[in-house]
Structure formats: C-alpha cells, structure tokens
Amino acid sequence: MVLDGHPRAEDAALIVTELGTNAVMHTASGGSGGSFGVALTVSEPAVTVAVTDSGSCVTTPEVQCPASDSTHGRGLAMVTALADSVMVQGGAEGRTVTAELLTQVRPGSPTPCSARPGGRRP
C-alpha cells in the first residue's frame, strides 16, 4: 500500500472514501458509464488527495451541519475536519475536490461547522 506506515494514512483513506462516495452519489460519476478519478500525491510535508467527478451536479459541494438525527450531509464536514485544507474547483462539467493533509497534525484545528463556506478553512 502506498501509505503503509504514514502518520496520515487512515485520514487519507477515509477522505478517499468520503469524496469517492460523494462523486458517485451526487454526480454523473454514479450513472451508467460514469467514473471518477483519484490522485494521490505524497511528499515530505504533506499528502494530497484529489477526487475528480464526471460533473452534472446542480449544487456545489459545501460543508453542512445537519441535525443530529439526519442520515446524510456529514461527508465533506468530516473531510474538512481531517484535512489541513480543502479546495473545490470546477463546475457542472466536473469538479475536483482536493484535500491536503500535512504530515504533522496541527493542534487546535477548527471543527467542520466553523469552516468557511466552500470547504476552505480560515
């Protein structure tokens, strides 16, 4: 496995799962013939995960703070809580959500609901 023994391996795996699920559930990636791509970059200071979907989504991915009894709406919030930065690029033709995980976890990271709109942290 590419990240065996890396301090952020579990975080990266969860982020790939959440972003991949979002691509399949909310875009043409989940339709007949749809697909999504995952790019993983590992360097000394960080691990970067980027998931690109097939597009056709009418909404822009954003962090939500659903009611405690809601069964959906927490995926991007979890990604934002785990990652040191999250960026969404693209539009209806396809979006890429990129999460960067610094090798050293920063103490005092904001909670998902305190993140700025668009999934970016202050």
Side-chain angles (χ1 to χ4, degrees):
M1 182 163 164
V2 174
L3 292 175
D4 269 351
H6 193 281
R8 303 298 303 270
E10 290 181 11
D11 293 341
L14 181 57
I15 287 171
V16 168
T17 300
E18 289 299 327
L19 295 180
T21 299
N22 285 351
V24 170
M25 297 298 295
H26 302 293
T27 75
S29 295
S32 177
S35 65
F36 66 92
V38 177
L40 177 68
T41 305
V42 181
S43 65
E44 182 68 30
V47 172
T48 304
V49 175
V51 174
T52 302
D53 64 48
S54 294
S56 81
C57 186
V58 295
T59 60
T60 300
E62 66 182 9
V63 173
Q64 300 175 9
C65 291
S68 60
D69 61 346
S70 179
T71 59
H72 298 286
R74 292 180 181 82
L76 196 54
M78 286 192 293
V79 170
T80 301
L82 292 170
D84 293 285
S85 67
V86 177
M87 185 170 51
V88 178
Q89 296 176 298
E93 70 287 346
R95 287 188 178 84
T96 299
V97 181
T98 304
E100 181 181 57
L101 299 102
L102 298 177
T103 300
Q104 302 256 343
V105 179
R106 293 182 301 162
S109 295
T111 62
C113 292
S114 67
R116 293 190 315 201
R120 293 185 182 179
R121 291 189 175 172

